[in-house]
Amino acid sequence: MQWLFGSDEDILKLVGRRGSFLSRIGVAVGIKDSDFPVFRELYYEFMEQFKSRYSVYTPRRVFASVDVRGILIDGSELKEYMLFLRDFVNDVVNTSGLYVNFVFASFGTSRISLPGKAKPVSVKTFIESTLKSYFAYIPVWTVIHRTGIKRARVYVDSFSTSPETPAWNELCNNNEVYVVSNGDKVNLLISAADLLLGYIGTIIKLRNKKPDISELKSYLKPFGFNDDRFRIYHVGNRDLGHIIYKDPTVKINPLLYRPFPIVYLIPELSPAGLLAGKDERKLIESSHVYEYILRYVEEQEGSLKIISFTEDFKHLSAGGVVVSLGEHSRRIAEYLRLLGFPLEHLNARELIHLYGGDPRL
């Protein structure tokens, strides 16, 4: 038996009459590999019903919390979104054997010393800036560290290049770790973690009270969570030696932990000087064809990246799939293959046709 985990994170800010509270929060979902096929089928069935009910026309089967919020919330109305997530807990989480682990990080000190910094930083800076770059893996590390689970397969939503921590080393030394870009849109376990994080985070914000482990469990119980498979963990001062890096110059490169195959999108406009790279990314991610690309990556259980020849050329010899979006990118894809890189080439129309769309679009 092997454990499978998905991990994601966010920030929690509360403001009340007695002051403010700041914390990084996360969810790590876990499931035994023997139970995963049931979870997968329940997840797909639930999302197909969601698409049908709200007339969501997309080939995608995996959704992030931000996708669901965008579809269900009209103005400031939260009711439909919260009902959707409660149904997700009842119909998918509790029925499939998924374990839900909510983790929140807060610290009983005003300043924290960091290697390489001349002066200690405020706890606010530590939570908002330092932890932001790598907290994505801390929820699953917390669960594995405290339960003693080993040899798990771990999927973490993408995070920045960041200093290596003892927590990261412990996680990687004992487990199979993958960092998935757009993980909440292509990986079922990261998506589940993200959806549940949105649910729990919203409940806590509506209550607007500083989290406490015993209180959290009592007031979250009416929202559908199974007591036997719901855990809450606090990361605090005792964990600083694990979650603070020892040497700021020793970095984690998340690109080295991507699951294969890697699907590279080749930009069409920015190399020709017609659009800035970040603007083309926004254009692609808001497009119809991007939905088909996400479906393909999810089905292949791989990872997605807009190609960067300064970052990726050293990885191309490991193979993967290149997706061209137009004539310019088609020529680049064929050039890469001519150079001998073992890359499969698909164009956007082929992907649309693969999943039953109109290739003329």
Side-chain angles (χ1 to χ4, degrees):
M1 180 197 75
Q2 183 183 33
W3 279 95
L4 312 175
F5 284 95
S7 184
D8 203 359
E9 69 93 34
D10 202 353
I11 192 165
L12 174 69
K13 296 180 181 180
L14 302 176
V15 179
R17 288 178 296 178
R18 296 184 178 180
S20 60
F21 175 77
L22 184 67
S23 172
R24 291 222 84 87
I25 58 175
V27 166
V29 297
I31 195 166
K32 299 169 186 175
D33 57 358
S34 57
D35 292 331
F36 182 76
V38 172
F39 163 74
R40 180 176 56 209
E41 291 310 309
L42 288 171
Y43 181 102
Y44 286 151
E45 181 182 346
F46 185 85
M47 290 304 177
E48 286 304 316
Q49 291 173 354
F50 161 66
K51 286 160 58 175
S52 175
R53 180 177 178 183
Y54 293 98
S55 301
V56 179
Y57 301 107
T58 176
R60 276 172 59 194
R61 301 184 293 183
V62 178
F63 292 87
S65 178
V66 66
D67 300 321
V68 175
R69 287 183 69 95
I71 293 165
L72 297 183
I73 295 180
D74 180 15
S76 60
E77 178 59 56
L78 277 171
K79 184 178 179 180
E80 282 293 307
Y81 173 67
M82 297 301 283
L83 288 174
F84 166 88
L85 291 173
R86 178 160 183 162
D87 287 343
F88 182 75
V89 170
N90 289 328
D91 298 347
V92 180
V93 175
N94 291 341
T95 310
S96 66
L98 197 73
Y99 285 75
V100 180
N101 304 282
F102 175 68
V103 178
F104 67 101
S106 60
F107 306 94
T109 182
S110 60
R111 305 192 75 78
I112 293 175
S113 296
L114 296 176
K117 299 284 186 182
K119 296 180 180 179
V121 301
S122 69
V123 70
K124 181 176 184 291
T125 298
F126 181 66
I127 290 173
E128 286 187 328
S129 302
T130 307
L131 284 181
K132 179 181 180 181
S133 66
Y134 61 85
F135 195 75
Y137 64 81
I138 298 299
V140 70
W141 166 79
T142 302
V143 175
I144 286 177
H145 176 72
R146 297 194 189 172
T147 60
I149 291 172
K150 292 184 179 180
R151 294 180 292 279
R153 190 186 310 157
V154 173
Y155 297 100
V156 178
D157 202 20
S158 57
F159 58 92
S160 306
T161 298
S162 56
E164 187 178 272
T165 64
W168 175 257
N169 289 333
E170 180 185 342
L171 190 64
C172 292
N173 288 342
N174 297 316
N175 305 280
E176 182 184 351
V177 180
Y178 297 101
V179 180
V180 188
S181 59
N182 294 281
D184 51 9
K185 298 174 185 290
V186 300
N187 181 281
L188 276 73
L189 290 172
I190 297 176
S191 165
D194 179 66
L195 291 167
L196 294 168
L197 182 58
Y199 189 41
I200 296 169
T202 302
I203 295 167
I204 295 172
K205 288 173 186 175
L206 290 172
R207 193 168 187 264
N208 199 31
K209 187 177 180 181
K210 178 181 175 180
D212 170 86
I213 288 180
S214 57
E215 283 193 12
L216 269 172
K217 194 149 192 179
S218 67
Y219 74 70
L220 287 171
K221 186 176 179 181
F223 291 89
F225 291 102
N226 184 320
D227 269 355
D228 295 334
R229 288 184 276 106
F230 181 63
R231 301 284 184 273
I232 299 171
Y233 297 91
H234 175 242
V235 172
N237 287 28
R238 66 173 179 167
D239 301 294
L240 287 172
H242 297 283
I243 67 173
I244 291 178
Y245 48 85
K246 303 297 184 185
D247 184 345
T249 66
V250 179
K251 306 281 191 180
I252 304 166
N253 182 356
L255 297 180
L256 300 178
Y257 296 87
R258 294 173 291 184
F260 282 85
I262 300 169
V263 178
Y264 297 100
L265 303 188
I266 304 179
E268 181 73 12
L269 300 177
S270 49
L274 299 176
L275 199 63
K278 63 180 180 179
D279 293 328
E280 182 164 18
R281 181 188 181 97
K282 291 178 183 177
L283 176 67
I284 292 170
E285 290 179 351
S286 64
S287 71
H288 180 67
V289 73
Y290 191 65
E291 301 288 295
Y292 289 88
I293 294 166
L294 290 172
R295 168 65 185 271
Y296 179 75
V297 174
E298 177 252 312
E299 198 169 85
Q300 298 297 313
E301 298 182 0
S303 52
L304 176 64
K305 189 173 189 299
I306 293 180
I307 200 165
S308 164
F309 290 104
T310 56
E311 286 182 341
D312 296 317
F313 73 91
K314 64 186 78 172
H315 305 299
L316 294 179
S317 59
V321 180
V322 286
V323 176
S324 58
L325 303 173
E327 184 59 28
H328 176 72
S329 54
R330 182 193 67 78
R331 290 197 298 268
I332 294 175
E334 291 305 317
Y335 174 62
L336 291 174
R337 284 164 54 84
L338 182 65
L339 290 175
F341 292 111
L343 299 166
E344 181 183 354
H345 174 209
L346 294 172
N347 64 50
R349 287 191 174 88
E350 287 174 319
L351 276 181
I352 294 172
H353 181 69
L354 182 63
Y355 297 111
D358 186 345
R360 296 172 297 178
L361 295 177

